Amino acid sequence: MNEKWQVVIITFVIIGVFCIANNILMKNNIENQYKNVSGDSIDENVEIIHVTASDFEDEVLNCEKIVLIDFYADWCGPCKVLAPTVEEFANENPDIKVVKINIDEEEKIAEDYNIMYIPTLVFIENGKEVERTVGVVEKSEIGKIVNKIKKN
C-alpha cells in the first residue's frame, strides 16, 4: 500500500475515534442534564403528551389552554439539549399544555406547520399558531412568549 492511502486510512480512523468519543461525551452530558441535585430524574411528574396524527385535533387544536408543541427527532442533538428545559417548563406551568411531536413519525403534521429546522417550539392558542421559536432556547424565553400570548 502506498503512503498516500496509509495517510487516508489513518485519517479516517482518527476521525472515527473522535466521532465515537464525541458521541459518548454527548450521551453522558445529556444523561447528566436529566438529573437534578439529588440525582433523581426531573421528568417524574411531567405531563408531556406525545401527540400523533390520530389525536392531534383533540389534544392540540381543541384544547382550551395555550399549547406548546415541541417538534423534535430522536437523533437530534439540540432537541435532546432542549428537552430538559421543556420538561422543567411543563412542570412549573401546569396551566400550559405541553406536547411533543416526533417529526420522523408525524411527517404530515411537521409539513403542515412548515417545520424546516428542529427543535422548533410552536405555541397554539384557540387552535391557531400564535408564536414559534427555532433552536435551543432558555426557559425564561419560553416564559416570556407565554406571558406575551396571555396578554393578548
Side-chain angles (χ1 to χ4, degrees):
M1 189 179 320
N2 67 28
E3 196 173 301
K4 181 180 177 182
W5 282 108
Q6 289 175 339
V7 170
V8 170
I9 291 171
I10 290 171
T11 302
F12 278 117
V13 169
I14 291 171
I15 291 171
V17 168
F18 279 120
C19 288
I20 291 169
N22 185 44
N23 284 340
I24 291 169
L25 291 173
M26 187 193 245
K27 180 178 183 262
N28 288 339
N29 187 30
I30 290 167
E31 287 172 357
N32 289 337
Q33 288 182 13
Y34 276 96
K35 299 196 185 247
N36 61 20
V37 176
S38 66
D40 297 327
S41 174
I42 64 170
D43 62 357
E44 290 178 25
N45 299 320
V46 175
E47 295 291 333
I48 297 179
I49 301 165
H50 290 264
V51 174
T52 64
S54 64
D55 59 0
F56 182 79
E57 187 173 342
D58 289 335
E59 295 292 345
V60 176
L61 300 180
N62 295 334
C63 184
E64 294 181 10
K65 295 180 177 183
I66 295 171
V67 180
L68 167 57
I69 306 172
D70 178 6
F71 285 96
Y72 77 100
D74 291 333
W75 50 263
C76 170
C79 298
K80 292 176 183 179
V81 170
L82 181 61
T85 303
V86 172
E87 290 172 2
E88 190 174 326
F89 180 83
N91 279 330
E92 295 173 3
N93 296 276
D95 60 322
I96 306 299
K97 185 172 192 173
V98 179
V99 302
K100 293 179 78 69
I101 297 179
N102 185 323
I103 64 160
D104 291 330
E105 296 172 1
E106 302 302 331
E107 293 176 11
K108 176 75 168 96
I109 298 172
E111 182 180 305
D112 290 347
Y113 281 85
N114 296 316
I115 304 302
M116 303 299 257
Y117 306 101
I118 51 174
T120 294
L121 301 178
V122 174
F123 298 81
I124 305 289
E125 184 179 38
N126 299 321
K128 305 281 187 227
E129 178 179 344
V130 291
E131 193 73 49
R132 81 169 46 200
T133 67
V134 178
V136 177
V137 294
E138 294 183 15
K139 185 175 61 171
S140 62
E141 181 64 24
I142 298 170
K144 287 178 188 175
I145 293 169
V146 168
N147 287 334
K148 177 181 158 188
I149 294 168
K150 287 180 178 179
K151 288 180 183 177
N152 291 337

